[in-house]
Amino acid sequence: MAPIKSDLPQGTLDLLMLQVIALGPVHGYAIAQRLEQVSRGVVQVPEGSLYPALHRLENRGLLAADWKETETGREAKFYRLTRKGLKQLETETADWQRLIDAIGLILGMADGGAQ
Amino acid sequence: MAPIKSDLPQGTLDLLMLQVIALGPVHGYAIAQRLEQVSRGVVQVPEGSLYPALHRLENRGLLAADWKETETGREAKFYRLTRKGLKQLETETADWQRLIDAIGLILGMADGGAQ
DNA sequence: TTCTTATACCTCGTGCTTCTATGCATTAAC
DNA sequence: GTTAATGCATAGAAGCACGAGGTATAAGAA
């Protein structure tokens, strides 16, 4: 039996990562932890999704990276948002809002039940 | 006219279709129109996505279909929700709520901004 | 030293969903 | 009988998430 998994819908991962990185430079490993914490465990990002996404975003010019030392004395790649990335974040956030709004209309259209 | 980009996240199409079908038997063509109308044009489902999804859902036992005549006198395949489909709809709706809730937490966590 | 654990990075292959493009059949209008 | 709208369907390609695996460093335990 397949355990119930709440996978992230395709496309939303980029948005969430941009949001976390917008708060300040972080390295990949920390991004995943941050997402999991803030979402109270609902959003979990395995590394097999994380790093390809990071490279994808960097490749599109939305992120820039520098190697720095972490508090634990390790070298890590710290990502930060570029100007283009910030713009993308704003656009995608607006799109997301509009979309869940529309979906809300659809999901609520039936309902006698209100609530 | 700014083109409205629908680009549904993966997995949500099934949910939306289940919801529309839950309201009563409809044929595929009408499902797409209904989704577009109710979402005010935000959600657009091309036929190349629609019919495969329909078959996928039927294949999983969530939908059942009968050929009937439309008001225009044409034969069309009317889909309806099975018991299993209804259950799936409820589950997916709950999952969706939990997810956009979590994403809302993440998107709202920063906000320095203020537009 | 060596082993283990935790941190931190990365890639490949698989599978699923979606989109673009296209074709076929039927009905109504001309 | 040709055109347009309706209605169903498939094929090919592209994109994305994920699991499994690999590398390397630091710190503490044996």
Side-chain angles (χ1 to χ4, degrees), chain B residues 17-58:
Chain B
M17 286 174 51
L18 287 177
Q19 175 67 55
V20 170
I21 297 170
L23 300 182
V26 270
H27 58 270
Y29 199 85
I31 293 173
Q33 292 183 323
R34 192 66 75 97
L35 284 175
E36 190 168 343
Q37 284 170 9
V38 177
S39 72
R40 295 180 203 155
V42 176
V43 175
Q44 294 177 16
V45 185
E47 301 187 5
S49 307
L50 180 72
Y51 291 106
L54 235 25
H55 299 154
R56 191 167 57 237
L57 292 173
E58 188 178 8

Side-chain angles (χ1 to χ4, degrees), chain A residues 9-10 19 23 99 106 109-110, chain B residues 9-10 19 23 99 106 109-110:
Chain A
Q10 194 166 329
Q19 175 66 56
L23 300 182
L99 184 67
I106 294 169
M109 84 198 203
Chain B
Q10 194 167 334
Q19 175 67 55
L23 300 182
L99 184 67
I106 294 170
M109 84 196 201

